[in-house]
Every structure is written in structure tokens, then in C-alpha cells.
Amino acid sequence: MNVISFIRIQKVLFSQARSPVAEMKELIAALLGVLALYIPVGDCVQEFEQRPMNKSVIEGQNVMLECSVRDLAGALQWSKGGIMLGLNPSLPGFARYSIISNTPSQYNLMIESSRLSDDSYYECQASPAGGNPPLKAKAYLTVQVPPEQPEILGYRNASTVALSPDDNQLIMICEVRNGHPAATIEWYRNGNLVVENVRYSSEPTMSGNKLMTARSTITISNIADHHNSIYMCRAKNDALGNNWMQTFVKLNVLSPPGTPEITGYSSGQVIREGDTVRLLCVSRGGNPLPQVKWYRNSEQIDISYTTDSVDARSLNEYTFSVRREDNDAVYRCEASNTASAAPLTSEVSLNVYFPPQSATIRGGGTPVKAGQQVTLTCESSLSNPKAVITWYSRGKIITANSDTVYNPGNNGGFTSRSSVTVTMSEQENNAMYICNAVSDNRAPVATANVTLSVLYPPGAPTIEGYSDSDHVVEDRAARMTCKSVGGNPTATLRWFKGNEPLVSVSSTSGNMVTSELSFLPTPGDNNAIYRCEATNSAINLPLTAVVKLNVYFAPKSVNVSMNPAQPVSGQPLNLYCTSESSNPPATIVWIKNHDQTREIRGVTEGTRPAPNGGSSTTSRLEIMPSSSDHNATYYCKAKNEYINKSTSDGLRISIQFGPVFEPSIALIEMIEKESKTFEMRAVANPTSITYTLYKGGQQSSSFTPNNGKLVISNVRREEAGNYSLKATNSIGSAYHHFQVKVKFPAEITRFQGTVYANEGESASIICGVNGNPVVDNMASWSRPGFDMSKTNQVYSNSERLSQITIHDLLRTDSGKFICTADNKVSPPKRREASLVVRYFAGIDKSRQYAKAGGKHGDTVTLTCKAEGTPDMAFTWSREGEQLQTDSKFAIRSTSASSIFDTHFVSKLTVRGISKADYGTYTCIARNDRGEDQFNIQLNGTSKPDPPYDMTFVNSTKNSITFSWKPGFNGGLDQEFQIQYQRKGSTVVTTTSIDVDKSADRIVHTIKGLELGHEYKIDVLAINELGKTWDEQQFSAKTAVSSGSNTGDSATPATRQSGDDTPVMIILVVCIVGICLLALNIALIFFFVRRRRKRLSHNGTSNHTNALELYAPGKENTYPMYPKTPSDEYNSYGTYEKNMDDLSDDFRNYEDEDVKRVFLPPPAYRPYTPNKLDSPHLSTHKAYLSDSRSYIDDDRETSWQYEDPYRIKGRKGTFDPAYDHGSQTVLDTENDRYYEETRPKSITDLSERSSRPPSRSVNYRTTPPPPPPVRSSSKGAAMNYVNHTAPPLPDRNYDAEEVQQNYNPRYTPSPGSIASFSNNPNVITNPNYDGPPMHASRTNVVPDDMRGHLV
């Protein structure tokens, strides 16, 4: 084997981890190499067919380095950076590297998901062999990594760089990080490439890292020339291709603004107070545009400026209303921006004219005597310019004493002052002097005036409101008025009480002065002197007027005393009362304990003088005190009858008396062991009382009397009885009698805990109780969920014993019965008695227990289940020999855990079975009610027995639930499969299910079925030896609705032996058909018979089956249809119809409507049918208003409508509010008609009475046309023409239907008193059994009428 073949085979051995296709290729190559052993080598020398080339790849992409060698003799491998990757083509240790060989000469290196670490030199090598020299070829793989976003250091992308024009230069650095190779960077200004003053550099981002960071620095000079220039830095490397990344900044060179200019006011310009001035300040230029602010006297007043970028200026307009304070005020405008060292300013000073606001006069304010001189001085407030003052009196200008004096003030204004001197004379009295001050001819005038006065004395004062014959009442407001006329000045009035000045209210009207004195008189004012004085500056002594007061007042208090000082019950007692001063003297009465309704008159013992000119009165009251007077208060009331005012005081008297019991409880009812305290208090004076308790005449210690309280603690039933409580003090004794009743809750005293009885017999349980009070049925029996109707309970009040007897015992009657003792004293007491029904139901001989099986050497268990009570005993035998637990057999049987256990299990375990153990084993179960045995066959293993007793349980729209009993499992573990097939389908679905293998019956649900389809279902039992199934087919049907079907109401599961229809269904259909046929025959017979009877009643009629409706007669007091003079007692018209014609007219109504009858109310009122097929007749004034009171109806009795066909216990009545038929109803509010749909039958009508009607309403604004007039109904046609009334619809209506419509139009309905009293053609109903009909007339037809067939 040559070297080439060896290398090929080696490749195959190292390629075990490769894919099968690759292995096949390598194997073929190895075989070809072996074949080369037999081919002469010749002169072929290995050489590169394709050398590896330098390549670039973006990080994360795949790359392949190609290498192929022609006539390869040695071994091929790759190296990376001088490190050999190995001869194994899978390149272990290099997960992302692999060798790709499509031909024997190829040896390409594939690198997946390239990384920066792959950036290196790679060498393809062929080792020397067979005289061939080694081959080597290098190539460099460059891994390109896109750099990060470029960043201009110190500036955010798209930011603005603010520069000062004084800056010499700006240096910006653009940095691009983490690229490989390093990024190329370019600078652009306003879109133009910049190459001057640009330096580029790059360096590794980190030491030993191949990622590079590139930087480009640009230096910008002459900053002012670069305002608003955009400098952009662009960067990319080979990984980005032609995609550039960029960032930029904008240069903003700042400059100061120009000096502001002010317009809107020029220096020296005159403006006036109240003018509106608009000052506009404009500053031009500057970057940014400046802020413009207004200042007034160095105080900032407005900063709301605007900018105009088009004209490069900032503006601030300040508008204000001129005030006088603005005179000489300096308004300054300042402009500044970030480039200005200090604000630039302009200012103006205002010249404001403002008038004086007021003028004042000093002097002349007080009256003076004739001949004296008065100097008047007028002074104006500040004004600009100076104000000129002019004097006037009696319409003439007065010359001032000297020139006007001007004094400077604030805000550049001046005050003006001028004086005149006046000599007083009688002519100067009330003379007015006026001073006017004006600053210029456009300013308002400030004016002031003063009126001079000459002094003279007033008239004498007079007092009104009180005379010497009057009186005033204490504490009741009184008024006196003092008046004085004349005087200059008018008089000053003052009040005095003696020499004490008083406060009063004065007023002046013209030359009259009034002073009103208001006061509350006091007893001290009685006989007091009140004086009024009048003075002015013209007199030296006051003028006076006086009155003397008479004050009525009541006594302020009374003094009450008694004799003797210590009253005793039954001994006389005198009470004395003396009042204080009163004017006039007081009247004294006595009152006991605030009883104002009962005044007691004593004996008046005279009066005596008292302070304040009043009198004091004394009264005596004599009483005979008793115990009821103890602590009673006797009040003395002294009253001034003239002013109805009184005072009172009381005296509480303490009477000595023997004990007296307060009202106390006479019957005490308590619950045993209860503790209570009762008030049984006696009152006495002296209050020291001794209490003693007696029972049956003997002193008792059962209860504790304690200071008027009876304490009963833990009362016992033996302590019940009659008691007396004795109270004693030093005066005497008293008794209180009471009874004590002790209640105790009902308790169970006799009880049977457990009762045993045999099935089918009767069992009795007794429960004895005791309690107080004794109530009927104090003990009762119950059992939740039990049918107590099969029991009989007897309670004996005398023995207080309750007995329950349960008859015809069933095994299911076993359980606990509860005896409840309750006499409503406390919560009931309960005890449970257990009833155990003894029975024996035998052994469960289901198929799954009849067999057992197992392989040789297995351990097999045979199960025997029995039901009964009491406890069950099991024995096992084989071929007559009883089995015991030993090394071969083990018997385990359950025992009762409670007396109610009924199911017992015994299991026989056979260990290590062999063929000799096969055979029949017998289980015997017995208790005292019976015995049963069951043979169980033990064999080898076999296929399972088929399931059986498949039963339908339930179905829904998409599922079926059924159950079955499992058969013998063949001695092996068995599984179950469900097969089901939809009827009519060929698809059979099989599913395996997991069930409880120990269950006697298995329930399963098949889901995902189709709605309303029948399915055939099989259950397969499977073990390792085979499968079996029930030969009897089972089918069931899913429900046809979203509910579930169970039992008879569902689609039942059916067992079918064929496709024949069940005989029961055929039988039921036949019976129903026969019943329906008989019912139809009976109905036909009934209607024919009734028709003949009615025809016989109408033997004298001129028309067959005629229907006639009549106008009311004279006796009818309810006219509703207009009559002609000739139609009284006559028909309006007759429709000639037989029953066929009639049925045609009623084609829109159901038979129930045709057969409906009308029953008039007891007090019948005229009405109209509710089928409004005719137009509304406004000429029929049947109602007074919308309340529908009848014009001629003087009876107000309301009535309840009664259904004449209604039978007790049956549904159906005429609803007075329902809507008949497709009828037209008038809507008077909206002036329109609408169609309504009536219910189909009386039953529908009854159901509508309890809910709002559902109807289709078609509104229209005009009434429907009248029905056509038949030519055969001559009378009706004639009346229709004469009275514009339509013929009657062919039907009867309920009385309440009339009340739903507003205009009754027709004659009384058939069935009314008026109609069947005078109409010979009315068909009476002899079977009518409704309420009697009453009428005021005496000639009423004696036969009542149920109604008319219409």
C-alpha cells in the first residue's frame, strides 16, 4: 500500500463524526487510492492547483479559503498564524472551522460566523511523500468590523456651538471608535469637503486589541467668518462599504446689539393726566437678538419684548395711562444680549399736566356774633401748572387780601393758597363763600365753599310721651321726647335723672331739635324726676322741662317659712310667705310640686310699706301632711296683677312616716341557674329600713334582700313559690307580696341509643324529656333526607315521652334519628339514636368475581363480596374441605368499622399456584339473617371476558356518556379500548382509555362528536393474550341542543338486534292517532249541534244566520250611535250571511276570536268595538274629556271585568288593556293613527296582561277608509249615508276595549241590558252562569245571555 492510499484510509477513519454522504465520498477516495497501488506512478509531482488568496470578511459572516493540490502525495493541513489546525478534517478544537472537499484534490477551509480573532495569516501545507517536496501557500484573512458612530468631542450631534467674535480659533476633534480597519474620516463645511488644517491619526482602542480608534482634528480660524456654518464629520471603513456615518454641529458667532431708539414721545411734549401713551423701543442687530426692557425711575416695569429675525431687531412697546405721578418721571429702555458687556440705554422724561384734585377752606366753620371779623383761607392740592384761586359770594367775585401763594410739592406740582376777610352782620347770616382753583383752561375746576352763621337763643323745651297721670312698667322699654324750636345755632338738648346725665338720641329737622330718651324703668325709677335742658352758644343758662315717673313693678323675691320646724304625718302644719316691695301690692297663691294648674289660696294677713314706694304682702297656708307630702315642695307665688309679673320660691318639707313600698314586680320569671337583681324598694322617713323575706309564712333565706334590692343568684327550680318582703323602720312596717317562677330548658331524660330491627318489621325508639314550661310536642324526631311519612310519632304530655315508630323497614332505613327537646327556653337539646336494620343481601356474583387465573408460580387472589348487617362471617373451602390460613393460603376478611357498615369483602390468596391448585373454590358468607355461597373458578391465564351490561348515562351536543361492567380479566392486567362509528359513516375511531380497574362499573365519556347523530359503540377488553368485546351492539345519539340529555328526556342509548322499528313506538303512534281522530269527530258533532240549536231559536227570522246590531231604545240611557227618527227599536241594517260567508269575513281572525263572547259589566256602560276599521266620527260626543267620563252615565261605580268562560283554577281572562286584531288606534296627541297587532287567542291575551304588548306599529296621519257597504244590507247603507256612520264590524268586543279609544261609535253590544230587552232576534245563551245583570228597567228578559257568536 503506498502513502497516498494510507492517507485516504486515514481520512476515512477520522471522518466518523461527518455525515454519511461525506463518509461515502471519503471511502470511495480511499478505494481509489488502494487501486493506485497497482498503477505505475510515473513522473507525476504534487503541485498547487489553486493557491489560497488574501480575503476580507465582515465580522459575523462566513468565509472560505480555497486550496487544492494536483497529484497529492503527502498529507494536507491548514495552519493559522503558525499554529497547525490538525490533519482531522473535522478540525477538533475549532468548532467554527471545517474542511470542505468536493474533489480529492480540494482542501478548502470554511470559517463560520467570523470573529475578529480570525483575522490572521492562514497557510495551506502538503507534506513531502514519495520523493515529492513539501508545498506551502499563505493568505491573509482580514476580518472587518464596522466602527461606532462618529462623535465630535465635546459636542452633541446637531448641537449649536456659541462663539465669541473675539475668539481666535476653534479646534474640533472627530473620533470614530472600535473599527477594523481604522475608519476614514472627512470634514465638510456647508456640504463642501475641507482638507486644509485637518490632521488624521489612528491607534488601537486597547492594548493588544485589533479594534482601532480614528481621530480627525480640524482647526478653524477667523471665527467671525463662520457664523451659521455647519461642520459635518463623515466616517466609514471597509465593513461599511459605501455607507457613511456622520455627525455635525452648527457654529453660532455672537455679536452685541445696537443702541435702542424710543418713539411715541418727544422731550418737552405736554401730556395730560389720563392720556394714553405708547412708548416703542427698538434695538437693531446683535446675535442673538437682544432683550429689550422698560424701566420707570430705575424700576423695571415691562420685559415682554418681541423679535423680528427678518429685520434683525427686537421691539418692546409699553402702553400706559398717564398719572400725575408720571410728571418728571424718567422712562428708560435697555437692550442687551449675551455678547454685550453692559446694557445699551435710551430714556425720556415726561411733562404731565394735572389739575388740583381738591380745594379746602379754613375759617368760618363756627357761628360768631355780629360785628366780629372772620378770615377765610382757601388752599388747593398739587397741580401742574400752578392753580389760580378765585373767590365768589352771592354771585360776585371777591377780592383777596393779598396775592396767591405757591408752594412746590411732589412730582413737580405746586399748591396754591389765597385768603379773604369778612365782617359779620345780620346780612351775612347763612351767606355762602365759594373758592375755585384751576390750573389751565382745559383742566377741571377744584371748588370748596363755607356758609357763615350768626348766633341767637333757642325756644323753651317741651316733653312728650309721658304725663303725670301715666305710669310705666319695670323692664318694659319706655320713651320720652324733648323738643326745642329756633335758635342759631339750634339748641343742644340733654336729659337728666335728678342730677345724673342720661344718654339720648338727638335729631334736627329744619330749625327744630328733638332728643329721644329710651330707657328700661326699674323700681328705683318710681317717683324719680326726669329733666330736659336746652342750650346753645347764645345763652348762658339752660332752658328746662321736668316730669315725675310712676313705675309699676313686681316683687323680686318671697320669703317662705313653716311651723312647726319638724312636721309629722297626720299633724297640722302652717306655711308662711312674705313678698318683697311691689307697686301696686302683690297677690299671693300657693303651688305644690310645680303643679301650675292647681293654685292654692292661703289667708292674706295684710300689707306694709316697702322700699321704692311699694308694699309687702304676707300669706299663711295650713295643711295636714301625709307620706305623699314627704320631700314635697310648696311654692309661694307673689304676682303683680297689673303688670302680670310674678316671682316665687319654694320650701321642701321633710315628713316623718312609716315604710311604703314603691310599685314593684309581682311576678318573677327566671331561667334555672340564672342570676338577677330586682328593685323592691320601700320609702320611709327616717330612712333606716330593715328588710325580711318570708315564704309560706316562714322566714326564708333563698334570696337576699339588700337595701331595697332582691338579689337572686343561681336560682334553682326548687326555689319557685310565693314570697313576702317586709320593710320596717321606727315608725311602722309594710309588706310586698310576689311570686317566683323558675324556668329550665327541656332536657332528655330517657333515651335509647341503638335499636336493632329486622328488615320488613317495625322499630320504635323512645325519648323522654323534662322542662319548664311544659309545652305541647316538647320532644320531636327528625332525620335529614329521610322520608318521615313512613314514620309515626306520638308524644305524651303527661309522661313527657316521645316515641317514633318506623314501619316496613328497608335496609336503607338504617341511620341516625335525632330527638330534639325544645320548650323555647334555651337552644334545643338533641341526641342521636341509631337504627340498625338487620338483613342479608347475599354475595355479589358479578362475572369479574366468578373467575380467577394465573400462571404457574404466580400468587392469585380470589375476591368474595357480600352485603348485609350485622357483621358478616366468611369461610372458604375447596371440594368440601375448609381452608385455613397457612403457607399456601391466606384469608383476609373485613369487619364492620361501624354499626352501619353493610359491605364486606373476603379475599383468598393462593401462593405459588400450580396445576393442582386449579379448580373450584367456594366462598360462604353468613350472618344472623341469612347465608349464601359463591363458587369461584381458578384456572390458568386466558383472554379477558367481554364487557357487559352497557348502559346509557347522558349525552350532550358533542359527547356521549355510558357505563359497563368489566368481565373477568383472564388473570392478567387488562386494558379497555373504545371503538365508535357514526351511523352512515365508514370511519371507525378507536381510543385507549385509562380507567380504575378495581371499579365494579366503569363510566366513560366520548367527546368531540357531532350534533344530533347516532353512534355505534363497542368496548374492547384487552390483555396480553388477546381482546374480546360484547356481541350485543350498543348505540346512542348525541343531543340536538346545547343542553344535556339524561334518561327519557335524552336521546336514549338503544340495544338493537336489527333495524326494525320498536313495537312500542308503533303502538304509541297508533293510540295518539286514534285519540286525535276521536277529538275531531267530537268537535264536529259539537259545532253542528250548536248550530242547529241556534237556528231553532231564530225560526221567525227573515234571514238565515243573520247578524243584527241595534240602536239603543228609549230605555237605554247610553246613546252612542246617532239615530234617525225612524230607527228607534229597529236595526241599522242586516248582513245576509250564512256560516260560509261569515267564515270568509273572518279569514283574518282565528277560531278563538270567532267564538269569543262578550259579557257586559254589572253596571253596563255603552262602548264601541275596538276593531277600528272605520274613520273616527267626530259627531259622536260620547266622552266629556280624555278621562272618558260618559255624558249620560251618572253612576260612578267601578267594576272588575270577569271572564264568562273562566273556570276556577284555569288560566285565561279578557285583559281590559290588550289590543285586538290589526286595528287602527287614534293618537290624539300626535294627530295620527297607527296599526296594532292583536294577540292570537284568549291565552295570549291573558299572558299579555302581565307584560307590555309587543306590537308592530305603522303610523299614518290620516284615518283608514271606511269598510265597504254591502248592497244586501240596505238598512245599514241608508243609515250610513244619513249619519256618516260606517256599518259595524263582524265581531264582538270587550268592554274595556272601548276605553282604549277615544270615540265610541256604535250601539250597545250584544249582551247588554238594552239590547236583549227589546230585540226579538237576539240569541240567548241558556248555559250562561256568570254574574247577574242589573238594570233600572222592570221589563228585563228573565233569561240571561252568555254572549253572541259573531
Side-chain angles (χ1 to χ4, degrees), residues 981-987 1013-1016 1035-1036 1056 1059:
Q981 177 183 6
R982 181 170 59 83
K983 190 173 182 180
S985 172
T986 60
V987 178
H1013 284 277
E1014 183 176 352
Y1015 287 83
K1016 297 178 181 179
S1035 63
Q1056 300 176 355
D1059 296 331

Side-chain angles (χ1 to χ4, degrees), residues 352-587:
V352 181
Y353 276 14
F354 55 92
Q357 289 182 329
S358 64
T360 57
I361 297 177
R362 296 194 305 273
T366 59
V368 297
K369 297 180 180 180
Q372 293 181 347
Q373 285 187 338
V374 177
T375 299
L376 305 178
T377 301
C378 177
E379 185 173 359
S380 67
S381 61
L382 290 173
S383 66
N384 183 35
K386 302 171 183 176
V388 177
I389 296 178
T390 306
W391 288 94
Y392 295 90
S393 179
R394 301 183 183 90
K396 298 179 181 179
I397 297 177
I398 305 300
T399 303
N401 297 341
S402 59
D403 295 337
T404 302
V405 178
Y406 302 101
N407 295 315
N410 296 330
N411 302 322
F414 296 88
T415 61
S416 301
R417 186 172 67 251
S418 176
S419 300
V420 296
T421 301
V422 180
T423 301
M424 299 300 292
S425 63
E426 293 182 1
Q427 292 78 13
E428 295 298 331
N429 187 37
N430 292 330
M432 178 181 292
Y433 281 78
I434 301 172
C435 161
N436 288 342
V438 61
S439 59
D440 68 283
N441 57 358
R442 293 177 56 186
V445 178
T447 184
N449 63 77
V450 65
T451 301
L452 302 182
S453 179
V454 181
L455 300 176
Y456 58 89
T462 61
I463 296 177
E464 298 178 355
Y466 186 82
S467 64
D468 291 340
S469 60
D470 293 336
H471 69 272
V472 294
V473 179
E474 67 167 331
D475 297 331
R476 190 177 299 172
R479 290 184 179 85
M480 292 188 293
T481 303
C482 180
K483 294 182 180 180
S484 176
V485 180
N488 186 31
T490 56
T492 299
L493 301 180
R494 293 190 300 168
W495 283 92
F496 294 88
K497 176 184 176 183
N499 294 323
E500 177 186 356
L502 303 176
V503 177
S504 61
V505 177
S506 299
S507 62
T508 302
S509 177
N511 64 345
M512 182 176 67
V513 180
T514 302
S515 179
E516 182 178 76
L517 176 65
S518 299
F519 63 100
L520 289 176
T522 65
D525 291 332
N526 189 34
N527 297 326
I529 302 299
Y530 280 76
R531 182 177 74 254
C532 176
E533 292 186 353
T535 60
N536 74 353
S537 55
I539 59 176
N540 296 325
L541 296 176
L543 305 176
T544 63
V546 297
V547 294
K548 182 179 180 180
L549 290 186
N550 181 17
V551 180
Y552 281 8
F553 58 91
K556 298 302 179 184
S557 64
V558 294
N559 182 26
V560 184
S561 61
M562 66 179 176
N563 186 28
Q566 177 57 62
V568 178
S569 176
Q571 299 179 8
L573 175 65
N574 287 310
L575 302 178
Y576 296 93
C577 177
T578 301
S579 71
E580 286 190 357
S581 180
S582 173
N583 183 34
T587 301

Side-chain angles (χ1 to χ4, degrees), residues 853-905:
K855 301 177 183 178
H856 288 279
D858 288 350
T859 297
V860 179
T861 299
L862 287 69
T863 302
C864 181
K865 294 184 177 182
E867 180 183 356
T869 187
D871 208 349
M872 194 74 62
F874 291 91
T875 58
W876 289 86
S877 63
R878 181 188 180 196
E879 297 177 357
E881 181 181 353
Q882 185 172 345
L883 302 179
Q884 302 293 334
T885 299
D886 55 17
S887 59
K888 185 66 175 179
F889 301 101
I891 300 175
R892 297 191 312 274
S893 300
T894 61
S895 59
S897 59
S898 72
I899 60 175
F900 298 114
D901 282 353
T902 58
H903 291 80
F904 302 89
V905 179

Side-chain angles (χ1 to χ4, degrees), residues 101-410:
S101 298
N102 294 325
T103 63
S105 61
Q106 279 187 347
Y107 204 74
N108 300 334
L109 177 63
M110 169 63 76
I111 301 175
E112 299 177 353
S113 302
S114 58
R115 301 174 183 174
L116 186 61
S117 59
D118 298 329
D119 187 274
S120 180
Y121 283 101
Y122 291 83
E123 188 176 60
C124 180
Q125 301 176 357
S127 62
N132 287 279
L135 299 179
K136 294 182 180 181
K138 287 185 178 182
Y140 195 89
L141 176 62
T142 301
V143 178
Q144 300 170 349
V145 180
E148 295 179 0
Q149 186 73 19
E151 178 184 359
I152 300 177
L153 299 181
Y155 305 105
R156 295 193 309 271
N157 182 34
S159 62
T160 300
V161 180
L163 301 172
S164 172
D166 298 332
D167 294 341
N168 294 326
Q169 65 180 11
L170 173 65
I171 298 175
M172 292 188 295
I173 301 173
C174 181
E175 185 175 87
V176 184
R177 305 182 187 93
N178 298 328
H180 187 264
T184 300
I185 302 176
E186 295 179 348
W187 283 94
Y188 286 83
R189 177 193 175 193
N190 296 333
N192 299 317
L193 180 63
V194 178
V195 295
E196 295 180 355
N197 300 321
V198 175
R199 300 191 312 276
Y200 176 84
S201 65
S202 64
E203 61 184 7
T205 301
M206 296 177 60
S207 176
N209 194 340
K210 293 185 178 182
L211 293 178
M212 302 295 291
T213 296
R215 294 184 183 86
S216 178
T217 304
I218 185 171
T219 302
I220 303 172
S221 303
N222 300 324
I223 296 299
D225 297 336
H226 294 270
H227 178 58
N228 285 337
S229 294
I230 296 176
Y231 276 83
M232 181 176 64
C233 169
R234 296 204 315 170
K236 73 169 184 175
N237 69 356
D238 295 339
L240 295 176
N242 293 325
N243 298 319
W244 291 83
M245 297 185 296
Q246 63 185 24
T247 183
F248 70 91
V249 294
K250 181 179 180 181
L251 303 187
N252 183 22
V253 182
L254 305 180
S255 61
T259 303
E261 301 174 359
I262 298 176
T263 59
Y265 182 81
S266 56
S267 297
Q269 178 182 349
V270 175
I271 55 178
R272 298 181 182 276
E273 182 181 23
D275 290 352
T276 298
V277 175
R278 291 179 175 84
L279 298 179
L280 177 63
C281 180
V282 179
S283 176
R284 305 181 187 278
N287 182 34
L289 292 175
Q291 294 180 345
V292 179
K293 303 178 183 179
W294 278 105
Y295 293 84
R296 178 182 181 275
N297 293 334
S298 301
E299 180 181 354
Q300 182 176 288
I301 56 175
D302 188 13
I303 59 173
S304 57
Y305 69 94
T306 60
T307 59
D308 184 355
S309 58
V310 176
D311 295 334
R313 61 177 184 169
S314 295
L315 308 92
N316 189 340
E317 183 181 63
Y318 180 63
T319 302
F320 61 98
S321 179
V322 177
R323 301 175 299 162
R324 61 183 58 218
E325 291 81 6
D326 290 327
N327 187 41
D328 292 337
V330 176
Y331 281 80
R332 183 176 78 254
C333 174
E334 289 186 358
S336 63
N337 67 1
T338 55
S340 56
L344 303 176
T345 63
S346 294
E347 61 183 28
V348 293
S349 179
L350 302 186
N351 182 17
V352 181
Y353 276 14
F354 55 92
Q357 289 182 329
S358 64
T360 57
I361 297 177
R362 296 194 305 273
T366 59
V368 297
K369 297 180 180 180
Q372 293 181 347
Q373 285 187 338
V374 177
T375 299
L376 305 178
T377 301
C378 177
E379 185 173 359
S380 67
S381 61
L382 290 173
S383 66
N384 183 35
K386 302 171 183 176
V388 177
I389 296 178
T390 306
W391 288 94
Y392 295 90
S393 179
R394 301 183 183 90
K396 298 179 181 179
I397 297 177
I398 305 300
T399 303
N401 297 341
S402 59
D403 295 337
T404 302
V405 178
Y406 302 101
N407 295 315
N410 296 330

Side-chain angles (χ1 to χ4, degrees), residues 36-58:
L37 294 173
Y38 304 97
I39 300 174
V41 175
D43 297 331
C44 296
V45 179
Q46 61 182 9
E47 60 180 352
F48 280 109
E49 185 178 10
Q50 182 179 0
R51 290 177 176 271
M53 306 292 292
N54 293 338
K55 284 193 175 184
S56 297
V57 63
I58 298 176

Side-chain angles (χ1 to χ4, degrees), residues 1086 1090 1093-1094 1097 1155-1159 1204-1205 1311 1316 1322-1330 1333 1341-1349:
F1086 169 74
R1090 188 170 66 172
K1093 180 184 290 188
R1094 293 187 176 180
H1097 283 287
K1155 293 180 285 184
R1156 183 175 297 135
V1157 299
F1158 170 77
L1159 175 64
Y1205 285 171
F1316 58 65
V1322 172
I1323 303 173
T1324 61
N1325 186 349
N1327 298 321
Y1328 171 70
D1329 58 355
M1333 301 182 184
V1341 178
D1343 292 333
D1344 287 344
M1345 175 179 180
R1346 175 184 287 270
H1348 286 247
L1349 176 65

